[in-house]
């Protein structure tokens, strides 16, 4: 069946450095790719999303890139801050209600 | 505006008891999902509701699990005869429409079965 692989599972960076999380999807019909941030004790919150007709999207310190040929998409966080520490999930959807989630990346930003 | 509200936030129950978990979605959102998240794990799809259509129950792990959505709004997830392996965080999410629409999650109900 369809799946989404997410790497790395844990990531530690120094404050101010950049962090990159990568996801690879198997369903070539996927056309919507959201990213969620989950802080301790809370539900996941959407931070950015991208659709298949766009190669890159930015929102302040956060950006997502999509490579449809290679079937992967990545989250880039620049100038990381301690409050960026959380678990990040990627997901893929082929335009239906079904989302396939990655297994999550625990990001630690070291002060 | 108000987000997705789940109650209770924490529930401790004894093995064999039944539990009910409640979800109040964002007003106007037609789609509603339940997911399960075990400690340190990803999101496991349980069930999906869309308007008056028949729900997709394909993710429910056993017949001890059931859910309903009344009036196209509030949803209840019921677990009968709870087992220790049911211990997890149960997350509810809603979205404005059923496709390519961001999911808005509640903070979940942490269920502990002793």
């Amino acid at each position: 069946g369809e799946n989404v692989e997410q790497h790395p599972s844990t990531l530690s960076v120094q404050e101010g450095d950049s962090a990159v999380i990568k996801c690879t999807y198997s369903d070539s019909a996927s056309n919507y790719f959201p990213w969620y941030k989950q802080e301790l004790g809370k539900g996941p919150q959407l931070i950015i999303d991208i659709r298949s007709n766009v190669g890159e999207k930015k929102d302040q310190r956060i950006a997502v890139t999509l490579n449809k040929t290679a079937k992967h998409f990545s989250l880039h966080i620049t100038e990381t801050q301690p409050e960026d520490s959380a678990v990040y999930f990627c997901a893929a959807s082929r335009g239906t209600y079904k989302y396939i989630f990655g297994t999550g990346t625990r990001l630690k930003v070291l002060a | 505006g108000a987000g997705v509200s789940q109650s209770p936030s924490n529930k401790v129950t004894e093995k064999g008891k039944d539990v009910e978990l409640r979800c109040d979605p964002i007003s106007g959102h037609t789609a509603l999902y339940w997911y399960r998240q075990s400690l340190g794990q990803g999101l496991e799809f349980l069930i999906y509701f869309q308007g008056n259509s028949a729900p997709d129950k394909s993710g429910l792990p056993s017949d001890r699990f059931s859910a309903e959505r009344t009036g196209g709004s509030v949803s209840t997830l019921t677990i009968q005869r709870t087992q220790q392996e049911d211990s997890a965080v149960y997350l509810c999410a809603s979205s404005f429409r059923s496709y390519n629409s961001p999911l808005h999650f509640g903070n979940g109900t942490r269920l502990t079965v002793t």
Side-chain angles (χ1 to χ4, degrees), chain A residues 3-7 20-28 30 32-33 35 50-52 54-56 64-76 90-92:
Chain A
N3 74 303
V4 173
E5 293 187 1
Q6 183 171 347
H7 297 283
V20 181
I21 303 170
K22 181 174 175 178
C23 288
T24 303
Y25 58 97
S26 60
D27 184 357
S28 57
S30 297
Y32 176 61
F33 308 91
W35 283 90
I50 192 168
R51 302 181 192 278
S52 59
V54 174
E56 182 176 4
V64 56
T65 58
L66 172 65
N67 183 327
K68 288 189 292 183
T69 302
K71 292 192 286 186
H72 66 69
F73 57 111
S74 299
L75 177 71
H76 304 254
C90 63

Side-chain angles (χ1 to χ4, degrees), chain A residues 47-97:
Chain A
I47 56 171
I48 196 167
D49 56 7
I50 192 168
R51 302 181 192 278
S52 59
N53 59 345
V54 174
E56 182 176 4
K57 184 176 178 181
K58 276 187 174 181
D59 183 2
Q60 299 182 356
R61 296 186 297 107
I62 294 173
V64 56
T65 58
L66 172 65
N67 183 327
K68 288 189 292 183
T69 302
K71 292 192 286 186
H72 66 69
F73 57 111
S74 299
L75 177 71
H76 304 254
I77 306 174
T78 59
E79 301 172 17
T80 52
Q81 301 168 4
E83 53 264 38
D84 295 328
S85 295
V87 178
Y88 292 81
F89 290 96
C90 63
S93 172
R94 52 157 39 205
T96 70
Y97 64 88

